[in-house]
Amino acid sequence: MLELGFVGLGRMGFNMATRLLQDGHRVVAYNRTMGKIEQLSEKGAVKAQSLKEMITQLKSPRIIWLMLPAGSVTDEHIEQLQSQLEAGDILIDGGNAYYKDSIRRAAQLKKHDLYFLDAGVSGGIWGLKNGYCLMVGGEEDAFNRAAPLFKTLAPKDGYAHMGKSGAGHFVKMVHNGIEYGLLQAYGEGFALLKGKTEFDLNLQSIAHLWNQGSVVKSWLLELAEKAFNEKQAFDKIRPYVEDSGEGRWTVLEGLELSIPLPVISLSLLERFRSRLEESFSDKVIAALRQQFGGHAVLSTDSNEPLQPKKDSL
């Protein structure tokens, strides 16, 4: 068993630290707010009220795992840690970081004789029970030293060394891009099933059926079945789809490498579309159809068709 400092006890971080504790690892936990630290201490974690206190409670060579929002927050914590850690210590970033940031951070920490591992983590809120898929980049020596942690967090065959620094977060970025496309396909398919009102189709039953040996069966489809079962909660969901940023990075990488990613690109654009209270582009299209073809458009006040003006082309 290993000991480690764990920084960031959000939805993913708290469950990951819990899983590590359950397998006997010693976890010294730090979080911006004390409430989460107190909760984790009840599960056996050692409390730390600052990064410095966390470091002093760990023996060298240390392992520090960060589960923080991508970007400046992660950079700020790394800046603080690099001045307090000692040569040979390992810093693991398990957040959804941009892989180019991970390459930069690894080079920066190497100047201080510190190891950096970029760990792409997939598993969501179910990871505590089912384990996390871990895609890890960085120096192999550091990967091997931290391997007992990965073994605890992952299911069987659920972690692997992807290659040099940045490779872990690059693979996770592409993983999330694929996820965008899969979610969009499921969403559109079930929308079509729901739209065929004459059949009064049971979406929960169909999701369950498709998971019994069909070629589209998946964990996502199992979650769809669960969501359709919770109809009351499902009906209250606003059709607004957020993105973590990794879909954007995936599309940009495709542009850089001149590799066509039409499905992933369109699924990202559909997420942007979902956030528009009113789609101005749809208004323009409707207006143009009225102009060139005299097609009716609907009024926002009454849902009644508006008639084209007599001088329309």
Side-chain angles (χ1 to χ4, degrees):
M1 294 299 107
L2 297 179
E3 68 168 14
L4 75 155
F6 204 98
V7 181
L9 301 176
R11 286 192 304 272
M12 289 278 282
F14 188 89
N15 283 349
M16 291 172 69
T18 299
R19 190 172 170 99
L20 289 165
L21 287 166
Q22 289 174 347
D23 201 33
H25 298 283
R26 180 174 181 264
V27 177
V28 182
Y30 170 71
N31 192 61
R32 184 176 57 84
T33 56
M34 280 299 297
K36 289 287 188 179
I37 300 175
E38 295 289 350
Q39 291 178 38
L40 197 65
S41 70
E42 294 173 4
K43 299 176 183 293
V46 179
K47 294 186 286 187
Q49 297 190 40
S50 67
L51 292 176
K52 183 176 182 180
E53 184 180 347
M54 178 189 70
I55 290 169
T56 58
Q57 296 187 80
L58 296 168
K59 297 175 184 176
S60 186
R62 305 171 183 85
I63 299 176
I64 309 292
W65 193 305
L66 303 179
M67 286 301 293
L68 299 167
S72 60
V73 174
T74 298
D75 277 325
E76 288 164 10
H77 281 75
I78 290 175
E79 285 287 344
Q80 293 180 57
L81 287 165
Q82 73 179 19
S83 63
Q84 301 179 57
L85 294 174
E86 300 177 57
D89 289 352
I90 299 172
L91 202 56
I92 304 173
D93 178 13
N96 281 332
Y98 188 31
Y99 81 95
K100 291 184 179 180
D101 287 339
S102 296
I103 294 172
R104 169 178 58 79
R105 289 164 181 157
Q108 170 190 332
L109 290 167
K110 191 170 186 178
K111 295 176 183 176
H112 297 265
D113 294 321
L114 299 172
Y115 291 100
F116 180 81
L117 296 174
D118 51 289
V121 181
S122 181
I125 59 174
W126 296 86
L128 174 59
K129 177 184 176 182
N130 300 330
Y132 301 88
C133 179
L134 303 173
M135 300 146 264
V136 186
E139 294 189 42
E140 196 162 4
D141 286 348
F143 172 82
N144 291 334
R145 277 173 50 194
L149 303 178
F150 305 143
K151 187 174 182 179
T152 289
L153 289 169
K156 186 178 183 298
D157 297 328
Y159 73 93
H161 185 229
M162 297 292 99
K164 64 184 182 180
S165 295
H169 279 150
F170 180 82
V171 173
K172 177 57 165 44
M173 178 191 77
V174 176
H175 164 283
N176 279 28
I178 292 169
E179 176 191 307
Y180 276 47
L182 291 172
L183 290 173
Q184 187 67 28
Y186 280 131
E188 291 177 9
F190 280 110
L192 184 58
L193 292 170
K194 190 176 188 298
K196 194 64 173 174
T197 55
E198 67 189 83
F199 290 144
D200 192 25
L201 297 168
N202 184 318
L203 302 188
Q204 179 193 356
S205 175
I206 292 169
H208 178 76
L209 174 66
W210 283 351
N211 270 314
Q212 315 311 311
S214 88
V215 296
V216 297
K217 68 178 181 178
S218 72
W219 181 48
L220 288 174
L221 200 54
E222 291 174 11
L223 295 178
E225 179 186 348
K226 183 176 183 294
F228 292 134
N229 188 42
E230 300 168 354
K231 189 175 188 304
Q232 187 176 5
F234 191 89
D235 288 344
K236 294 180 180 178
I237 295 174
R238 181 182 167 195
Y240 181 105
V241 187
E242 193 55 88
D243 72 287
S244 64
E246 299 216 21
R248 304 181 191 212
W249 300 334
T250 305
V251 171
L252 287 172
E253 196 67 27
L255 292 172
E256 275 192 33
L257 298 177
S258 298
I259 295 175
L261 306 174
V263 172
I264 294 173
S265 299
L266 285 174
S267 67
L268 173 63
L269 296 179
E270 280 298 310
R271 291 197 178 194
F272 297 160
R273 176 188 173 89
S274 77
R275 302 168 202 172
L276 300 176
E277 292 290 346
E278 291 185 4
S279 172
F280 184 73
S281 62
D282 287 346
K283 287 187 177 186
V284 173
I285 294 167
L288 290 174
R289 291 183 73 251
Q290 183 189 50
Q291 292 294 323
F292 72 68
H295 302 290
V297 296
L298 299 179
S299 166
T300 56
D301 295 328
S302 63
N303 253 7
E304 293 296 322
L306 293 175
Q307 297 304 316
K309 293 181 179 179
K310 297 295 184 182
D311 60 351
S312 294
L313 296 176

